[in-house]
């Protein structure tokens, strides 16, 4: 049975307009999200509240982001990404204003909740469905990779700019500038507006419950969820603890800055390559190789002499393997189940990533306190990398029977 | 009438970015990245103060 519906704005706009709009939204949203840590010292000092309330607010924001991505994706898949982006933008603006006018730790908590909701509605997981639906299957991975690159660029650019802004305008005024910058996202939601139109027969009329049941009984999807946990574990641990590792080895802090900068730059190239890789390698194999490759980086940090050259070189290699997982993982979700519930189902995968991030950060701190060394964490990272490489290999990269049986 | 997902599946949508827009996007992104790199290079000492925050930059 064919369902006919008037095309939504997103359905009639050129693909590049949708990718460009979604990319700008993601760049701004991820940039804002990344700079929040900069406000820790001035805010805690001015409000006299200690670091815990601020840290709690940011932890709440991350937690809500992970959980909210599932629900934001669900709404975006049903109602269209445009509304979710507008809602997320309003929540972000409210969160930033509350941060600006905060008088207590409780205000910061509420701000964290709003910022978490905001990034749920404007981040990669929410928009991956809109782009995935707009792109033809052969261009889907590359189109999603553009979102990943935009996310990387946003984070890369936002940090030094905000740092400069805070120095010259003060932290309070800089928050107002960020608030105004966020407002730019509103008109960018227009090309993504409108309900995703249904396509042919059962492909597009699948219910929410049916999609959830189908996904959670699909072995390859569950392997993907487990594998993305490892991605979160690796990137959070490395990104946050590298400076401490560098300092422990008696190197200048500038080495960590250079290394993380190289991670950010190589990440852009790696994500682009991953987006193009569908032409010569299956996505599941690409993912296996990425996780396997990360193991060599961690082995290098264990066994090579730790010098500035080693750290920067290994960080560059790791950068190539950083978020190149995103386009491959999200495209696999579409390969399995189609694009009807893509944002929601990728949101579940992303939640696993966030749990991995949390675990990586917590475990690194705990084990370091116990052993005064990161060696155990490197070994755990290697073991998890091998585990992820192994579980991606047997993934069956084909649509579920429901899609395979549907008329073209 | 062709629907959203059908457009995606058949690839009939206009996909290619106009050359002028592509050039503008590349120029904008290149400029932003170059300026960010410059800021990181010249403000390295100041950035070190916030190294823990820097560590969170690239976490997804």
């Amino acid at each position: 049975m064919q369902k006919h519906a008037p095309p939504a704005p997103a359905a009639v706009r050129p693909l590049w307009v949708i990718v460009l709009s979604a990319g700008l939204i993601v760049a701004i949203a991820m940039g804002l999200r990344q700079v929040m840590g900069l406000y820790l010292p001035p805010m805690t000092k001015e409000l006299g509240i200690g670091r815990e309330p601020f840290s709690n607010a940011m932890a709440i924001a991350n937690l809500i982001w992970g959980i909210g991505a599932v629900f934001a994706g669900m709404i975006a898949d049903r109602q269209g990404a445009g509304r979710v982006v507008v809602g997320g933008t309003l929540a972000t603006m409210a969160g930033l204003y509350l941060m600006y006018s905060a008088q207590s730790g409780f205000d910061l908590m509420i701000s964290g909740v709003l910022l978490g909701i905001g990034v749920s509605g404007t981040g990669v997981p929410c928009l991956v469905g809109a782009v995935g639906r707009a792109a033809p299957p052969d261009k889907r991975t590359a189109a999603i990779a553009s979102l990943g690159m935009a996310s990387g660029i946003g984070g890369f650019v936002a940090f030094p700019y905000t740092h400069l802004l805070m120095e010259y305008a003060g932290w309070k005024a800089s928050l107002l500038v960020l608030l105004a910058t966020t407002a730019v996202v509103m008109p960018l939601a227009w090309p993504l507006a409108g309900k995703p139109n249904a396509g042919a027969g059962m492909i597009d009329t699948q219910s929410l419950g049916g999609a959830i049941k189908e996904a959670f009984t699909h072995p390859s999807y569950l392997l993907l969820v487990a594998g993305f946990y490892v991605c979160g574990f690796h990137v959070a641990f490395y990104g946050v603890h590298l400076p401490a590792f560098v300092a422990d080895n008696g190197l200048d802090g500038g080495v960590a800055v250079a290394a993380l900068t190289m991670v950010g730059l190589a990440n852009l190239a790696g994500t682009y390559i991953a987006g193009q890789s569908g032409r010569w390698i299956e996505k599941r194999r690409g993912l296996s190789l990425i996780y396997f490759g990360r193991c060599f980086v961690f082995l290098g940090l264990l066994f090579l002499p730790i010098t500035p050259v080693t750290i920067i070189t290994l960080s560059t290699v790791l950068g190539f393997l950083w978020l190149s997982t995103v386009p491959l993982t999200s495209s696999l979700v579409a390969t399995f189940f189609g694009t009807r519930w893509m944002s929601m189902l990728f949101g579940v995968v992303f939640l696993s990533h966030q749990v991995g991030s949390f675990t990586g950060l917590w475990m690194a701190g705990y084990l370091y306190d116990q052993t005064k060394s990161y060696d155990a964490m490197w070994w755990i990272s290697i073991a998890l990398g091998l585990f992820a490489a192994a579980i991606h290999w047997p993934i069956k990269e084909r649509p579920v029977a429901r899609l395979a049986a549907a008329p073209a | 009438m062709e629907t959203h997902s059908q457009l995606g599946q058949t690839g009939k949508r206009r996909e290619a970015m106009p050359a002028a827009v592509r050039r503008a996007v590349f120029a904008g992104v290149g400029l932003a990245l170059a300026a960010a790199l410059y800021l990181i290079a010249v403000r390295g000492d100041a950035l070190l103060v916030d190294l823990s925050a820097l560590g969170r930059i690239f976490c997804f």
Side-chain angles (χ1 to χ4, degrees), chain A residues 144-229:
Chain A
I144 294 171
S146 304
L147 278 191
M149 291 169 69
S151 166
I153 291 167
F156 190 87
V157 169
F159 186 80
Y161 279 119
T162 308
H163 203 263
L164 189 70
L165 191 64
M166 286 173 74
E167 185 173 312
Y168 285 99
W171 70 268
K172 276 203 149 191
S174 72
L175 278 172
L176 292 180
V177 175
L178 293 186
L179 200 155
T181 308
T182 309
V184 172
V185 168
M186 289 286 194
L188 293 171
W190 167 245
L192 309 172
K195 291 184 182 181
N197 287 343
M202 289 176 66
I203 298 174
D204 305 288
T205 53
Q206 186 185 34
S207 68
L208 172 64
I212 292 171
K213 188 179 173 188
E214 184 177 60
F216 281 93
T217 53
H218 192 278
S220 292
Y221 177 74
L222 296 177
L223 291 176
L224 205 60
V225 172
F228 216 41
Y229 169 91

Side-chain angles (χ1 to χ4, degrees), chain A:
Chain A
M1 182 182 150
Q2 189 120 350
K3 182 177 176 183
H4 293 289
V12 294
R13 299 213 180 272
L15 174 60
W16 70 266
V17 173
I18 292 173
V19 172
L20 190 59
S21 299
L24 284 168
I25 292 167
V26 164
I28 293 171
M30 296 309 294
L32 279 172
R33 182 249 165 186
Q34 308 287 17
V35 300
M36 288 300 121
L38 284 174
Y39 288 88
L40 173 71
M43 285 199 78
T44 50
K45 188 177 173 189
E46 180 151 332
L47 297 177
I49 54 172
R51 294 196 166 201
E52 192 182 346
F54 188 93
S55 300
N56 286 345
M58 292 303 111
I60 286 172
N62 275 327
L63 189 65
I64 288 182
W65 182 25
I67 298 168
V70 179
F71 293 97
M74 190 187 298
I75 299 169
D77 287 334
R78 186 174 266 168
Q79 303 292 332
R83 294 180 193 192
V84 183
V85 168
V86 170
T89 306
L90 289 172
T92 303
M93 291 170 73
L96 287 171
Y97 185 76
L98 204 55
M99 208 167 149
Y100 164 81
S101 59
Q103 298 294 321
S104 66
F106 181 74
D107 292 345
L108 281 179
M109 261 337 166
I110 303 296
S111 167
V113 170
L114 289 167
L115 289 171
I117 293 171
V119 78
S120 294
T122 51
V124 172
C126 177
L127 294 173
V128 89
V131 171
R133 273 186 288 275
D138 61 322
K139 290 190 169 60
R140 188 170 292 141
T141 311
I144 294 171
S146 304
L147 278 191
M149 291 169 69
S151 166
I153 291 167
F156 190 87
V157 169
F159 186 80
Y161 279 119
T162 308
H163 203 263
L164 189 70
L165 191 64
M166 286 173 74
E167 185 173 312
Y168 285 99
W171 70 268
K172 276 203 149 191
S174 72
L175 278 172
L176 292 180
V177 175
L178 293 186
L179 200 155
T181 308
T182 309
V184 172
V185 168
M186 289 286 194
L188 293 171
W190 167 245
L192 309 172
K195 291 184 182 181
N197 287 343
M202 289 176 66
I203 298 174
D204 305 288
T205 53
Q206 186 185 34
S207 68
L208 172 64
I212 292 171
K213 188 179 173 188
E214 184 177 60
F216 281 93
T217 53
H218 192 278
S220 292
Y221 177 74
L222 296 177
L223 291 176
L224 205 60
V225 172
F228 216 41
Y229 169 91
V230 177
C231 183
F233 186 99
H234 282 165
V235 299
F237 161 53
Y238 195 85
V240 172
H241 286 269
L242 182 70
F245 176 74
V246 166
D248 282 355
N249 282 279
L251 300 179
D252 186 74
V255 174
V257 174
L260 289 172
T261 301
M262 289 314 295
V263 167
L265 287 177
N267 172 45
L268 300 180
T271 306
Y272 175 80
I273 294 167
Q276 303 296 320
S277 67
R279 294 175 187 174
W280 66 82
I281 190 169
E282 284 182 285
K283 293 183 272 290
R284 66 187 179 98
R285 293 192 175 173
L287 284 166
S288 280
L289 291 175
I290 287 170
Y291 288 111
F292 192 59
R294 288 182 183 184
C295 296
F296 288 97
V297 174
F298 301 136
L299 276 171
L301 289 165
L302 272 168
F303 292 110
L304 291 176
I306 300 301
T307 65
V309 174
T310 322
I311 294 283
I312 292 170
T313 305
L314 290 173
S315 295
T316 306
V317 175
L318 190 60
F320 276 103
L321 310 170
W322 199 247
L323 294 182
S324 47
T325 53
V326 174
L328 300 176
T329 302
S330 52
S331 291
L332 269 177
V333 173
T335 301
F336 298 152
F337 309 114
T339 56
R340 174 72 181 91
W341 295 102
M342 187 177 175
S343 282
M344 181 194 70
L345 294 176
F346 181 64
V348 174
V349 184
F350 177 72
L351 179 57
S352 168
H353 184 281
Q354 294 304 86
V355 174
S357 298
F358 173 81
T359 317
L361 291 178
W362 171 80
M363 195 177 280
Y366 176 78
L367 288 177
Y368 185 83
D369 285 345
Q370 297 294 315
T371 64
K372 302 298 173 204
S373 161
Y374 283 109
D375 284 2
M377 274 306 288
W378 297 129
W379 281 116
I380 291 171
S381 297
I382 292 165
L384 284 174
L386 291 173
F387 166 75
I391 65 171
H392 281 92
W393 200 263
I395 282 177
K396 291 183 170 54
E397 196 166 327
R398 59 174 181 245
V400 292
R402 172 182 59 82
L403 288 180

Side-chain angles (χ1 to χ4, degrees), chain B residues 18-46:
Chain B
V21 180
R22 186 181 296 124
R23 277 196 292 272
V25 169
F26 278 124
V29 169
L31 204 63
L33 282 177
L37 272 174
Y38 171 76
L39 284 175
I40 289 172
V42 299
R43 297 169 57 80
D45 290 344

